[in-house]
Amino acid sequence: MPATDLDQVVNLCKRRGYVYPSAEIYGGFRSTYDYGPLGALMLRNIREAWIHSMVQMRDDVVLIDAAVLGPPQIWEASGHLANFTDPLVDCTNCKTRWRLDKLDDPNTCPNCGKQGTFTEPRQFNLMFKTHAGPIEDEGAVAYLRPETAQGMFVNFSNVLNSTRRKPPFGIAQVGKSFRNEITPQNWIFRTREFEQMEMEYFVPPADSLKWYEYWCTERMNWYLDLGVPADMLRLRAHDPDELSHYSSGTSDVEFRFPWGWDEAEGIAQRGDYDLTQHSIHSGEKLDYFDQATNERYKPYVIEPAVGVTRLFALFLLAAYDEDVVNDETRTVLRLHPRLAPYKVAVLPLSKKDTLTPLAQQVRKQLSQRYMVDYDETQAIGRRYRRQDEIGTPLCVTIDFDSLDDGAVTIRDRDTTEQVRVPIESLLGEVGSRLGF
Ligand code: GAP
């Protein structure tokens, strides 16, 4: 049964090395987080699962990696300097600060309960401003990107020229984005520093709706393929008053978080908004010339955009489970094997030196292909429990018989079923159980 209690997952993450509060020895730093040894591996797996589906398995999408720091011109053109704002109100009674559009009741302070104590809303720009170079004057102003998307638009011609693509084609990117959120909340769900995976899919304008529907379906299936239960997911179209300044239609993939349905990912129809804006502001053409029809046009854009760190919370919440094995309650993360930090744990039955050389040999063999954990301390039952709790799909146990018969035991995380296999067929057996 997936978790409904966020604290259980947060505690597990802290205890086992998935996520730590940042700068903790100094009392923490305003809802920023550090990803520990398991967290760093899982972040990498989430990125790889996305790149695998969005780039590797397709022949129409390329990957780029653009700069985080950018000049004001980009954000002037994209509309972020003027429009990327949230309405901020202060409670004059208890001095707390709120995002007006996120309040259930826009008159009552959720903290002190008083009515009519809010200041007039002020529009607060969410971009982090800094200076590039040693002189802090207007000419040196730079911004940390609030979305990776603009990297794809400003490189549209570069990619077109260097790859000879033609619409429909996509440019994808994975990387950090920064937003000075007024109310970061719900652990890593909304933070000021986060990571995004976005893909701008450029299509002939007449085909835009067809591709929008295609990407909505495609993206929903990605979650299902990675083991997220269907009843925890839904696709919700935005009301017109929710749309971003660039969008003519957006649907969110929503997940049933412990606090209710909330956005995991947005799939937006950006039309030719961005290419037109950058074309006006830069003086570059930024369009596509179709030699077959002799036509020049600005492609429309469909954009699936998701946060890596938000997905991290989503996958852990969906995977968290408790069940009873041999009259004992265990915590188990039923993570999809592609997402699990370690795919296999190699566990010599005893710490005796006699087993170590063979166990290390097995570890090395499996490590050629998979991220492997090695653990030789404590009773075997406790070690299984530890691996269940961090989501390792398979444990391989080396016992004293292994020295004679050259076979080891594979234990499955979800069923706890055990089978004995010869070491020479271990790699193949592990591969077929993991599915890759
Ligand atoms: N380029 C479009 C764009 O950035 P968005 O809906 O603002 O659209 C896309 O962001 C995704 O990025 C969101 O669906 C969410 O998964 C993630 N995201 C946005 N702001 C975030 C934040 N402050 N913390 C964590 N993830 C965030």
Side-chain angles (χ1 to χ4, degrees), residues 2 7 19 51 72 109 141 164 171 236 281 338 384 393 405 410 418:
D7 287 343
V19 184
I51 291 172
C109 175
V141 167
R164 295 162 57 239
I171 311 179
R236 187 185 67 82
H281 285 255
R338 276 201 185 275
Y384 284 152
D405 66 4
I410 298 182
Q418 305 192 11

Side-chain angles (χ1 to χ4, degrees), residues 300-312:
Y300 275 21
V301 169
I302 310 300
E303 175 197 67
V306 66
V308 184
T309 39
R310 188 171 291 187
L311 281 184
F312 187 100

Side-chain angles (χ1 to χ4, degrees), residues 80 84 146-150 153 177-179 181 184 188-198 200 223 238 244 246 250 252-253 263-266 268 270 303-311:
H80 283 81
F84 197 53
E147 60 171 15
T148 62
Q150 297 305 320
F153 298 123
S177 293
F178 299 83
R179 296 182 189 178
E181 299 281 0
I188 54 172
F189 177 83
R190 181 178 295 111
T191 49
R192 296 194 171 107
E193 172 178 348
F194 57 101
E195 200 174 323
Q196 286 186 307
M197 307 189 284
E198 303 195 285
E200 311 304 319
Y223 292 81
H238 277 207
S244 311
Y246 50 73
T250 295
D252 284 346
V253 176
E263 172 185 347
E265 163 161 3
R270 294 181 79 124
E303 175 197 67
V306 66
V308 184
T309 39
R310 188 171 291 187
L311 281 184

Side-chain angles (χ1 to χ4, degrees), residues 399-428:
D399 56 27
F400 292 100
D401 288 343
S402 307
L403 300 173
D404 299 326
D405 66 4
V408 293
T409 303
I410 298 182
R411 174 190 177 270
D412 183 282
R413 175 196 68 196
D414 294 333
T415 62
T416 72
E417 174 203 280
Q418 305 192 11
V419 289
R420 201 145 173 95
V421 299
I423 291 174
E424 65 217 27
S425 54
L426 184 60
L427 207 51

Side-chain angles (χ1 to χ4, degrees), residues 20 52 91 115 130 135 144 158 185 200 203 237 244 262 278 281 285 288 292 369 386:
Y20 311 122
H52 183 263
C91 173
Q115 288 228 355
T130 185
I135 301 170
L144 300 187
N158 280 338
Q185 61 193 173
E200 311 304 319
V203 302
S244 311
D262 213 333
H278 284 299
H281 285 255
K285 271 210 175 78
Y288 174 73
R369 196 177 300 166
R386 283 175 69 81

Side-chain angles (χ1 to χ4, degrees), residues 1 13 18 30 60 62 112 122 156 160 167 172 179 194 205 231 258 266 275 300 332 339 354 374 414:
M1 188 187 56
C13 283
Y18 270 99
R30 298 199 185 104
D60 57 353
V62 294
C112 67
R122 283 174 290 146
F156 174 75
L160 210 55
R179 296 182 189 178
F194 57 101
D231 65 354
L275 291 180
Y300 275 21
V332 53
L339 303 176
T354 36
Y374 183 86
D414 294 333

